[in-house]
Amino acid sequence: MAVWSVSLSVVLCLSLWRTAVCGSHHLWLQTLNDTHVHSQFPRGFLWGVGSSAFPTEGSWDADGKGESVWDRFTHSSRTSVDTADVASDSYVLWDEDVEALQYLGVKFYAFSLSWPRIFPDGNATSEPNWAGVAHYRRLIRRLKDVDVEPVVTLHHWDLPQTLQERFGGWLNPNLVDIFADYARFCFQTFGGDVRYWLTIHNPFLLAVQGYGTGAHAPGLRGERQHHFIAAHNIIRAHAKAWHIYDKHFRCHQRGRVSITLGSHWVEPLHGQTTSANLDLCQKSMEAVMGWFAEPIHGSGDYPASLKASNRGVLPEFSPQEKMWIRGSADFFSLAFESETLNAAKGLASFGQMVTLELRKVLLWVQQEYRDPDVLLPDSGWFSDQSVGVEDTVAIYMLKRFIKQLLHAVSTDGVKVLGYSAWSLLDGFEWNHGYGRRRGLFYIDFTRPKRHRIPKTSAHFYRQIVNDNAFPDNHTQHMIHAHFPCDFQFGVSDSTLQVHLSPFSPQFTDPHVYRWNYSGDGSLRPVAGMVLHTRGSQCTDFLFIQRHLLLLEAVGASHYRFALDWSELVPSGDVSSADVEKLRFYRCVLSEVRRRGIQAVVMLYNPSYRSPSLGLPVPLHANSGWRNHSTVEAFVKYATLCFREFGALVPVWITINEPNRLSEMYGGNAEDRRTVERYALLAHAKAWHVYRQHFRQRHGANVSLALHANWVEPANPFLESHKVAARRFLWFELGRFLDPLIGRGDPDARDSREAGSSPIGFTDDEKAELRASLDFIALNHFTTHLVSPQKSQERGSSLMTDHTWTSSPMGQPVVPWGVRRMLSWMKSRYGNSLPVIITASGVDDRAAVDDQLRQSYIRSYLQEALKAKHETECNKTSLQEQHCVDVEDSSKDSHDLQFGLFTSAAHHSRPKASVNLYRDIISRRGFPSTSDPRPPCQRADISTSCRFCATMTESKPLLFFSVCVSFIIIFIIIICVLRKRKKRITTQQLHH
């Protein structure tokens, strides 16, 4: 029934704005400032928690309480067997509720009075049920005693059933005066201790779901106009109650009165901000919250869009009523929770997408209704009924809303008085029954005693309340310092494809040509004339020159790229290696070295983009890395590369990300361990080949590179999540590094916690693996949250904190993760080996002004600098490779999002991040303005003479210059000789 009712309510809601008039559109066109703000909320900010009577009180017929429409609704055969007869038992255990409030440390408690508990028949002019009155007096006085402000709602949907039967509920205008009498009694009875009154909670759901779709009590599926009539009477009832308080109670009670309005938020589908889509977005807001907010906080009448689309069914206010209703609220009370958003999900079919944007709702209220004070007595999400005290997802939903709230307050200047998490306790969630949980405190509804057990979300919220701050434990403070002079900055590509064309054939064509001989403007070879030519040169590969010009523009000292194994040795047999492609890579390396840049060369880079995963096709067809023959083939291939390129390469990476390679093969756990085992053995054998045959001659360092994103426990209040984080790091890194660095098999604790076997090596293999690593190479991009999950081989699953900045492709930008990763490496492996970050980067769709990438480079380098100063990385590594070698992608991939430059198809234009990165490199970090130390200068002969460098790089220009020089010298010699001859002749004539 719930699914049907929501879909029907959407149809009803859509009718409200289908033909409405355009409203304000600027919020959907505005780019909000999401830069980091101070985590502190203003002093005096009110933190609270909320609940309502029907879902929590129970005791549905105790001590003279009357029946409510929700009692009748849940007891009827139309609904499930669930009832709220006992619920959370808060009528009996109210003192435990107060203890829960004290645990949280909140400043206010938003709760509702049960109208039928105070007046069983709803008639406030008759004798009240004094037992009910006494209950609320005890609760309110107890709250005041413990310094918790009561925020009291008069009516949260539990209308006395008698009023429904006698009058038809809110369809009858008599309810306006009846509610006003009830409100007067409550103001008079409890008002001395109450400073904040809320008349009615979320009238949108009360009217539409109660009198339109039948999803809520009283469950009426009436005519189209019925929910409009109910809403009309609700607005009038609220206004009358406000005027009663304003006239008779305000002067001595000094309280404030409002009505809580529910809202959603919509964005144009796929971000298509056409005029028609923006119209629909504005009308959507006007048809849900504006339906009630415009009469009360705005003009005194319904929104024009609502009236235009519902002529004949929407009641009208008289001119006197408009004046009377307008301004009948002392602040804006907002509910932003799941029920209203769920009722609006169908709006996407009209070009809209419902989103969880509390910040934008607050901005909309600020800009539509003259910047009012705002209170949020109801905000939160829900968990499934199966979720117990470990409600990790609820923490991050709550954190998401509070982060948006912080931006609204600190960045946008919205005047928010306070925020209430909903709800204090698990309870009976209206038409969802006990199928959902929304409480900070867990209740087991199968037990007769309803104990309140704090969930992890309660611990989290308590921390926020106590700190009066957003929980940002990783605030990014900037430090001003230089990187050490031997710190290396680099740029990286994945696999550098062989480009034999375009190829410049200068000096290689032996023919002589005659132009326009036949008058047709063509070149024709001269028969019988053949010139001597030279062999092809590296400068003939135009791609290399153009590509390295980009590299030079960055100013980096290192360039990391991968050779294409499948292109160099297509058959897998090195005896048939492609000589021309070997020459291409040799030219690349020669040109890189000539420019004073050091090459970091990967022998094998597994890639999904290659059908053979980057292997020669015959090897892939023969089971690839699941077959030991690939190990032997790799060692031979590595030997070929060491021999052909060894003199030009100071740093080798044998295999890139072997800890991701097994995922490409799938299969069972045993198959994946086979792939991992053979990849590590292939690396170790290649390392030993280099050590035995090439190191003495070339002196390079050899390692492999691991994918090394950092992880944090998703739920920091649970030991199981901390164990999952340790397990993840062992599975992703420890299993691979421990055998190579010399720790042997992973220790028992790691293996036991991981719930997975080590890769598994024989004793001889362990000896071969041990110490086969010259440095630790890591590819670090981001940070994830990790939670335990036994069904996963690594024993954990990943999730993301939505309060983190993320890229268009969903990569979280978490700079402090790189520092934590380096700290973990040091704590586990000490300073025995240097650590190099061989790849790092983020996608950014911007064609030129890539602000996200700029922020990424700046902040990640800041964290690398902090790691250098705080963790004191080993700085005695070979070949001057030190603690961190930060690199980024140099050219865009096919989706044009990852590079410092646009693709060659877009003429390889530099993006703004190039200038930023080059500036950081030239300044050697982030020096302060008062730091007198000059930045280190890289010794580079090519920069000492720009003219010389230019001449050397352009061999045709050099040849032309030499020819011109010879001609000039020849002319000078002729002139000198003629002058001398003339002088001699003149002397002879005189004699």
Side-chain angles (χ1 to χ4, degrees):
M1 184 190 72
V3 175
W4 176 89
S5 63
V6 169
S7 63
L8 179 56
S9 71
V10 169
V11 174
L12 290 170
C13 294
L14 286 173
S15 68
L16 305 181
W17 58 77
R18 187 167 297 152
T19 59
V21 180
C22 173
S24 173
H25 295 164
H26 58 279
L27 256 181
W28 289 277
L29 298 173
Q30 179 181 348
T31 301
L32 299 182
N33 180 6
D34 287 324
T35 56
H36 184 76
V37 295
H38 196 274
S39 61
Q40 204 74 23
F41 280 85
R43 289 186 62 183
F45 189 84
L46 299 175
W47 293 101
V49 69
S51 70
S52 60
F54 179 77
T56 60
E57 283 187 352
S59 302
W60 77 279
D61 60 352
D63 295 341
K65 177 186 173 293
E67 185 183 22
S68 74
V69 292
W70 271 95
D71 291 322
R72 178 68 61 87
F73 189 67
T74 55
H75 291 159
S76 71
S77 59
R78 290 174 52 195
T79 63
S80 67
V81 296
D82 288 340
T83 70
D85 293 355
V86 179
S88 312
D89 208 13
S90 285
Y91 181 74
V92 175
L93 304 176
W94 64 271
D95 53 338
E96 293 188 18
D97 292 350
V98 175
E99 291 176 5
L101 296 170
Q102 290 180 282
Y103 173 81
L104 295 173
V106 294
K107 293 301 182 184
F108 75 89
Y109 178 39
F111 65 96
S112 71
L113 306 176
S114 172
W115 189 346
R117 193 176 295 282
I118 297 175
F119 292 102
D121 62 356
N123 183 7
T125 62
S126 63
E127 187 74 8
N129 174 29
W130 292 109
V133 172
H135 166 72
Y136 292 118
R137 277 179 171 162
R138 285 192 300 269
L139 175 59
I140 291 171
R141 288 173 182 171
R142 178 62 177 152
L143 291 174
K144 301 293 283 189
D145 289 343
V146 297
D147 198 27
V148 174
E149 190 70 38
V151 176
V152 181
T153 297
L154 296 174
H155 179 49
H156 195 144
W157 306 347
D158 54 344
L159 186 74
Q161 178 64 23
T162 302
L163 297 182
Q164 184 64 38
E165 293 175 351
R166 183 178 177 186
F167 297 101
W170 287 105
L171 295 177
N172 194 314
N174 289 327
L175 260 289
V176 174
D177 291 330
I178 293 172
F179 178 79
D181 291 336
Y182 164 61
R184 183 191 299 271
F185 175 86
C186 294
F187 294 152
Q188 185 172 353
T189 305
F190 310 116
D193 292 319
V194 178
R195 295 293 174 265
Y196 294 94
W197 289 99
L198 302 170
T199 56
I200 300 169
H201 186 87
N202 202 340
F204 171 78
L205 289 179
L206 174 57
V208 172
Q209 303 286 61
Y211 294 86
T213 68
H216 283 187
L220 299 183
R221 296 184 180 92
E223 299 296 329
R224 182 187 173 198
Q225 68 270 24
H226 281 180
H227 59 281
F228 289 118
I229 294 171
H232 194 75
N233 290 327
I234 289 169
I235 293 171
R236 294 170 66 238
H238 155 77
K240 189 160 189 176
W242 183 88
H243 281 285
I244 288 172
Y245 189 88
D246 188 59
K247 182 176 180 180
H248 300 289
F249 299 98
R250 188 185 302 279
C251 61
H252 59 277
Q253 292 185 359
R254 301 186 183 280
R256 305 176 76 180
V257 182
S258 188
I259 180 172
T260 300
L261 304 182
S263 186
H264 66 314
W265 183 254
V266 290
E267 292 284 350
L269 191 63
H270 305 309
Q272 297 173 355
T273 54
T274 64
S275 178
N277 278 345
L278 296 180
D279 282 346
L280 286 171
C281 289
Q282 176 68 13
K283 293 166 191 174
S284 172
M285 295 300 296
E286 291 175 352
V288 179
M289 183 160 60
W291 183 3
F292 301 88
E294 184 61 24
I296 296 168
H297 295 277
S299 64
D301 198 2
Y302 294 120
S305 61
L306 197 67
K307 293 194 293 182
S309 58
N310 294 282
R311 289 188 176 93
V313 295
L314 185 66
E316 296 182 1
F317 294 117
S318 68
Q320 294 79 12
E321 284 179 323
K322 292 176 185 178
M323 295 294 294
W324 183 61
I325 293 170
R326 181 182 181 184
S328 59
D330 302 319
F331 57 93
F332 200 108
S333 181
L334 173 66
F336 191 75
E337 39 71 44
S338 57
E339 278 301 294
T340 307
L341 271 68
N342 285 341
K345 279 185 177 178
L347 302 182
S349 62
F350 276 67
Q352 299 163 321
M353 179 174 59
V354 176
T355 61
L356 302 178
E357 292 292 341
L358 174 59
R359 179 185 180 184
K360 290 190 175 180
V361 174
L362 290 169
L363 273 170
W364 193 84
V365 169
Q366 178 194 55
Q367 296 173 13
E368 290 283 330
Y369 302 114
R370 300 177 301 280
D371 195 17
D373 291 342
V374 181
L375 181 71
L376 284 96
D378 179 358
S379 177
W381 207 243
F382 63 89
S383 300
D384 185 75
Q385 63 177 340
S386 61
V387 176
V389 295
E390 299 182 3
D391 57 340
T392 302
V393 174
I395 287 178
Y396 289 95
M397 293 301 297
L398 183 58
K399 187 177 181 182
R400 178 176 186 165
F401 291 142
I402 292 175
K403 179 66 174 292
Q404 294 177 4
L405 175 69
L406 178 63
H407 271 293
V409 172
S410 300
T411 305
D412 308 322
V414 180
K415 296 187 293 189
V416 181
L417 303 173
Y419 176 90
S420 172
W422 193 279
S423 66
L424 177 65
L425 310 170
D426 287 338
F428 184 88
E429 289 302 324
W430 308 105
N431 55 312
H432 301 289
Y434 298 109
R436 289 183 176 179
R437 295 181 178 273
R438 293 190 63 190
L440 296 175
F441 284 77
Y442 172 81
I443 293 179
D444 185 348
F445 295 107
T446 65
R447 296 179 177 272
K449 182 67 173 176
R450 305 298 209 247
H451 292 293
R452 281 87 167 111
I453 304 172
K455 302 179 185 179
T456 53
S457 58
H459 304 314
F460 173 77
Y461 191 55
R462 181 189 189 208
Q463 175 186 330
I464 293 174
V465 172
N466 290 341
D467 295 342
N468 191 36
F470 182 76
D472 189 355
N473 300 324
H474 313 284
T475 302
Q476 297 173 27
H477 63 281
M478 185 171 183
I479 64 171
H480 294 281
H482 290 101
F483 283 100
C485 294
D486 47 13
F487 183 92
Q488 306 298 337
F489 297 89
V491 176
S492 72
D493 274 321
S494 52
T495 300
L496 185 63
Q497 300 295 330
V498 175
H499 291 266
L500 299 181
S501 61
F503 181 89
S504 174
Q506 59 184 9
F507 308 121
T508 62
D509 187 349
H511 298 96
V512 176
Y513 294 88
R514 176 181 291 170
W515 176 73
N516 203 28
Y517 179 72
S518 58
D520 59 358
S522 62
L523 285 172
R524 297 181 182 277
V526 178
M529 296 189 66
V530 179
L531 302 176
H532 291 290
T533 62
R534 63 158 175 82
S536 58
Q537 304 293 310
C538 288
T539 51
D540 295 338
F541 293 106
L542 298 186
F543 166 81
I544 297 176
Q545 308 306 316
R546 293 170 181 171
H547 190 70
L548 296 186
L549 281 176
L550 306 182
L551 188 60
E552 286 185 303
V554 178
S557 61
H558 284 64
Y559 176 42
R560 189 210 72 157
F561 67 91
L563 306 176
D564 192 334
W565 184 4
S566 64
E567 289 282 338
L568 284 175
V569 190
S571 67
D573 184 354
V574 296
S575 63
S576 60
D578 191 312
V579 176
E580 192 64 17
K581 291 173 181 176
L582 284 171
R583 191 173 75 84
F584 171 83
Y585 281 123
R586 191 180 302 110
C587 284
V588 171
L589 292 167
S590 298
E591 293 296 304
V592 166
R593 184 178 185 182
R594 191 168 60 81
R595 285 164 169 78
I597 299 171
Q598 296 192 48
V600 180
V601 176
M602 294 184 291
L603 294 174
Y604 174 55
N605 179 41
S607 174
Y608 281 112
R609 292 178 179 172
S610 166
S612 63
L613 304 181
L615 289 173
V617 173
L619 294 180
H620 181 70
N622 194 28
S623 299
W625 287 100
R626 288 175 293 197
N627 191 320
H628 189 270
S629 63
T630 301
V631 176
E632 300 169 354
F634 178 80
V635 174
K636 294 176 181 178
Y637 161 66
T639 304
L640 170 69
C641 294
F642 294 152
R643 183 175 63 249
E644 293 290 331
F645 312 130
L648 302 170
V649 179
V651 181
W652 291 98
I653 301 291
T654 56
I655 300 174
N656 189 46
E657 299 189 352
N659 53 343
R660 285 288 176 271
L661 180 59
S662 60
E663 296 178 0
M664 297 182 176
Y665 282 89
N668 57 34
E670 188 63 33
D671 290 338
R672 290 191 290 273
R673 279 195 292 271
T674 298
V675 172
E676 293 161 352
R677 174 169 171 259
Y678 286 159
L680 286 185
L681 288 174
H683 156 77
K685 291 178 183 295
W687 185 90
H688 283 287
V689 166
Y690 190 88
R691 181 181 63 85
Q692 294 168 7
H693 302 290
F694 300 96
R695 172 155 295 164
Q696 186 174 3
R697 192 182 342 159
H698 301 309
N701 291 322
V702 182
S703 185
L704 52 72
L706 296 174
H707 190 87
N709 287 337
W710 180 245
V711 292
E712 287 283 315
N715 195 323
F717 304 99
L718 297 175
E719 182 61 27
S720 61
H721 285 237
K722 297 176 184 178
V723 170
R726 293 196 298 266
R727 175 190 302 149
F728 182 92
L729 292 171
W730 173 80
F731 189 89
E732 289 289 304
L733 298 173
R735 290 190 309 141
F736 297 86
L737 289 176
D738 288 356
L740 298 173
I741 290 178
R743 290 185 55 153
D745 279 340
D747 57 55
R749 175 184 174 183
D750 285 331
S751 183
R752 183 175 63 254
E753 287 186 351
S756 175
S757 302
I759 296 173
F761 299 102
T762 66
D763 290 341
D764 289 341
E765 290 171 343
K766 291 176 186 177
E768 188 174 26
L769 289 166
R770 190 173 297 117
S772 59
L773 212 60
D774 297 326
F775 58 93
I776 298 173
L778 306 175
N779 298 339
H780 176 85
F781 299 92
T782 188
T783 294
H784 296 288
L785 301 171
V786 64
S787 60
Q789 184 172 344
K790 293 182 179 179
S791 60
Q792 296 288 330
E793 185 181 4
R794 63 169 64 96
S796 58
S797 61
L798 300 178
M799 61 180 290
T800 297
D801 185 342
H802 290 288
T803 65
W804 291 343
T805 300
S806 62
S807 71
M809 295 181 69
Q811 176 185 320
V813 179
V814 191
W816 47 263
V818 67
R819 179 158 45 102
R820 293 210 165 189
M821 173 58 72
L822 294 170
S823 177
W824 182 84
M825 296 298 298
K826 179 186 175 184
S827 67
R828 187 174 182 92
Y829 300 111
N831 278 335
S832 58
L833 291 174
V835 177
I836 304 174
I837 296 181
T838 49
S840 184
V842 68
D843 60 286
D844 189 329
R845 291 176 180 169
V848 177
D849 188 17
D850 51 348
Q851 296 186 14
L852 178 63
R853 182 177 292 104
Q854 293 177 66
S855 175
Y856 183 98
I857 292 173
R858 185 186 299 108
S859 57
Y860 273 62
L861 278 169
Q862 264 283 315
E863 294 301 317
L865 185 59
K866 292 173 190 175
K868 183 69 189 70
H869 284 269
E870 296 173 12
T871 65
E872 297 181 353
C873 303
N874 171 23
K875 54 182 181 180
T876 58
S877 58
L878 300 177
Q879 298 297 323
E880 298 184 352
Q881 294 293 331
H882 295 277
C883 300
V884 185
D885 184 359
V886 180
E887 304 182 353
D888 208 310
S889 300
S890 70
K891 293 186 71 177
D892 270 342
S893 56
H894 297 301
D895 50 20
L896 307 180
Q897 294 186 21
F898 284 91
L900 294 170
F901 295 84
T902 58
S903 71
H906 292 72
H907 308 292
S908 297
R909 291 187 302 156
K911 300 179 182 178
S913 52
V914 172
N915 292 330
L916 169 74
Y917 193 29
R918 184 174 58 235
D919 182 63
I920 294 173
I921 293 172
S922 65
R923 298 169 63 197
R924 302 298 303 177
F926 305 89
S928 64
T929 55
S930 60
D931 191 346
R933 295 177 302 165
C936 303
Q937 296 294 330
R938 178 163 55 92
D940 189 345
I941 297 175
S942 65
T943 62
S944 63
C945 176
R946 280 292 170 195
F947 175 76
C948 299
T950 303
M951 296 296 293
T952 303
E953 291 171 6
S954 182
K955 293 187 178 179
L957 179 60
L958 177 61
F959 177 78
F960 177 74
S961 301
V962 171
C963 291
V964 170
S965 299
F966 274 118
I967 292 171
I968 292 173
I969 293 172
F970 180 74
I971 292 173
I972 292 173
I973 293 173
I974 294 297
C975 291
V976 170
L977 290 176
R978 290 186 65 182
K979 270 190 169 185
R980 182 175 296 176
K981 184 177 180 180
K982 186 176 181 181
R983 189 183 306 116
I984 293 172
T985 304
T986 303
Q987 289 175 355
Q988 289 175 348
L989 290 173
H990 283 298
H991 289 294

